[in-house]
């Protein structure tokens, strides 16, 4: 029996220590160039027993998965797995694991508040007016966020998706004394109660919130979730924040709402096309749109570094014939067990 082959298709461990750990366990480790194109990766993936990496450039689809007939696992350093064809992986009996580390989802939540405050407090505009010689001009008034004792009710924030990120956003907002709404049909009622947020359906939330922030996974159900009809439900003057996935929002409908003035602004860490084309319409709205290059979780002391041991351990477990932690496509487990359980490829 030959040594198992592991392709690290998009590396994040600059030290290489985790790569050496896998190699020392008896594997042939192939590390692709960080910006390798699909054609190169297809060549490297042939005969792999495990794929390991961050976000794939494109989709790890059935064609890519079947390049490796004995493939056991796609081990992701990221939380998101929308770059993998989960249906195909499950049908083939290939596990897809991910890394929901607090460094990642906690960083997204913190970044969400930074985006919200930058928009509401008009941070960029104030900086620019001072640099241009201006000072304390009324057009650069911000929004007071929290409820006050003088009767000011504060703003209402609507959270779409009350998973790890959405829940942390709710926790971070608690001291601000804002009204917080949340919509998530897959979360038990007790979580809403514990977080002190009001449970609403999506349409009601959109009609009442001053700030709507998106924290749902990208699935067939959520693709295009915020489309033209739902954007029309938003209050005039509302702002939309998307740190989830770009395709959750219909970007053309969003641009139309901004152009019509029915939506006051948007902060987007993610876009359907990344990076956007130089002539992309979303770039035309000046300070009303705050953009970030899909780096909301990239922080000193955070980012994907904390995921390296998780993803490495998942890879080695699968190669030992053991079910790893953090399997995303649970429907693949039965077939995976029938193919690989108890069949170790590693050194004794």
């Amino acid at each position: 029996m030959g040594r198992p082959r592991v392709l690290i298709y998009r590396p994040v461990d600059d030290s290489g220590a985790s790569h050496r750990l896998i190699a020392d366990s008896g594997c042939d480790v192939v590390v692709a160039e960080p910006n390798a194109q699909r054609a190169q990766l297809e060549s490297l993936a042939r005969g792999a027993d495990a794929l390991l990496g961050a976000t794939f450039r494109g989709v790890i689809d059935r064609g890519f998965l079947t390049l490796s007939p004995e493939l056991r696992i796609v081990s992701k350093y990221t939380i998101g797995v929308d770059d993998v064809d989960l249906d195909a992986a499950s049908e083939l009996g290939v596990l897809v694991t991910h890394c929901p580390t607090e460094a990642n989802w906690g960083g997204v939540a913190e970044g969400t508040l930074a985006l919200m405050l930058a928009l509401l407090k008009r941070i960029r505009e104030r900086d620019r007016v001072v640099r241009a010689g201006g000072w304390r001009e009324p057009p650069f008034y911000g929004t007071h966020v929290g409820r006050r004792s003088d009767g000011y009710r504060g703003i209402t924030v609507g959270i779409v998706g009350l998973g790890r990120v959405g829940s942390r956003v709710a926790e971070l907002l608690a001291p601000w004394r804002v009204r917080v709404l949340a919509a998530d049909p897959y979360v038990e009622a007790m979580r809403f109660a514990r977080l002190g947020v009001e449970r609403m359906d999506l349409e009601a939330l959109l009609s009442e919130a001053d700030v709507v922030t998106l924290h749902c996974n990208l699935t067939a159900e959520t693709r295009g979730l915020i489309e033209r009809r739902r954007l029309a439900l938003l209050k005039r003057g509302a702002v939309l924040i998307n740190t989830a996935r770009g395709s959750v929002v219909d970007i053309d409908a969003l641009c139309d709402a901004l152009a019509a003035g029915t939506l006051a602004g948007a902060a987007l860490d993610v876009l359907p096309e990344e990076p956007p084309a130089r002539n992309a319409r979303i770039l035309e709205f000046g300070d009303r749109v705050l953009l970030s290059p899909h780096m909301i979780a990239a922080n000193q002391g955070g980012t994907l570094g904390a995921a390296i041991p998780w993803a490495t351990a998942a890879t080695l477990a699968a190669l030992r014939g053991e079910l790893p932690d953090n399997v995303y496509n649970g429907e693949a487990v039965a077939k995976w067990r029938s193919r690989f359980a108890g069949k170790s490829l590693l050194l004794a």
Side-chain angles (χ1 to χ4, degrees), residues 17-91:
S18 64
H19 309 164
R20 292 189 291 274
L21 176 62
I22 296 171
D24 290 344
S25 298
C27 300
D28 288 332
V29 178
V30 179
V31 182
E33 293 296 323
N35 295 314
Q37 299 301 306
R38 184 183 176 102
Q40 298 171 284
L41 294 175
E42 286 179 349
S43 176
L44 297 175
R46 295 183 187 280
D49 297 284
L51 302 176
L52 172 62
T55 302
F56 192 79
R57 297 183 187 280
V59 177
I60 299 177
D61 55 19
R62 183 181 297 273
F64 197 92
L65 292 167
T66 53
L67 292 170
S68 312
E70 297 301 313
L71 183 66
R72 296 188 175 200
I73 187 171
V74 179
S75 180
K76 299 293 306 299
Y77 292 117
T78 57
I79 293 180
V81 296
D82 48 279
D83 55 348
V84 182
D85 184 337
L86 295 174
D87 291 338
S90 297
E91 289 172 15

Side-chain angles (χ1 to χ4, degrees), residues 92-310:
L92 294 166
V94 177
L95 298 180
V96 180
T97 60
H98 68 149
C99 292
T101 64
E102 186 177 7
N104 194 316
W105 55 261
V108 175
E110 292 177 354
T112 296
L113 261 66
L115 294 175
M116 182 184 80
L117 292 173
L119 278 179
L120 296 181
K121 300 297 185 180
R122 308 192 71 174
I123 302 299
R124 295 169 298 161
E125 297 94 318
R126 292 177 176 186
D127 174 81
R128 188 169 55 254
V129 77
V130 173
R131 293 177 186 275
W135 196 253
R136 302 191 68 174
E137 299 179 15
F140 299 104
Y141 280 14
T143 298
H144 195 286
V145 174
R147 185 177 68 254
R148 300 194 304 256
S149 59
D150 62 5
Y152 179 78
R153 298 177 62 182
I155 69 169
T156 297
V157 177
I159 300 172
V160 180
L162 203 60
R164 298 178 184 88
V165 178
S167 293
R168 178 59 63 84
V169 170
E171 291 173 343
L172 294 175
L173 284 171
W176 290 75
R177 302 204 304 168
V178 301
R179 180 186 180 211
V180 182
L181 318 175
D184 193 325
Y186 301 105
V187 170
E188 68 283 358
M190 281 302 298
R191 183 179 297 183
F192 293 82
R194 178 177 59 80
L195 293 168
V197 304
E198 298 177 43
R199 186 174 194 172
M200 286 192 170
D201 64 34
L202 178 59
E203 281 72 21
L205 179 149
L206 293 174
S207 67
E208 294 199 28
D210 300 291
V211 175
V212 174
T213 179
L214 306 177
H215 302 293
C216 47
N217 293 328
L218 180 61
T219 65
E221 182 180 8
T222 62
R223 186 176 297 275
L225 181 72
I226 306 301
E227 33 74 88
R228 196 170 304 276
R229 180 183 65 83
R230 288 188 169 127
L231 284 166
L233 297 175
L234 289 165
K235 296 163 62 174
R236 194 173 190 91
V239 300
L240 178 72
I241 300 172
N242 187 10
T243 58
R245 287 293 185 267
S247 295
V248 171
V249 177
D250 180 336
I251 196 71
D252 292 326
L254 176 65
C255 289
D256 287 345
L258 289 163
T262 54
L263 185 67
L268 309 172
D269 181 56
V270 289
L271 293 165
E273 180 185 359
E274 296 179 351
R278 297 291 294 177
N279 63 346
R281 192 178 171 202
I282 195 64
L283 304 178
E284 299 175 0
F285 296 97
D287 289 329
R288 294 176 61 203
V289 174
L290 175 58
L291 296 172
S292 171
H294 202 150
M295 288 185 66
I296 204 72
N299 301 289
Q300 295 296 330
T303 196
L304 296 180
I308 292 171
W310 290 33

Side-chain angles (χ1 to χ4, degrees), residues 5-24:
R5 179 180 176 86
V6 177
L7 170 61
I8 302 176
Y9 61 83
R10 190 173 176 197
V12 300
D13 184 1
D14 293 335
S15 74
S18 64
H19 309 164
R20 292 189 291 274
L21 176 62
I22 296 171
D24 290 344

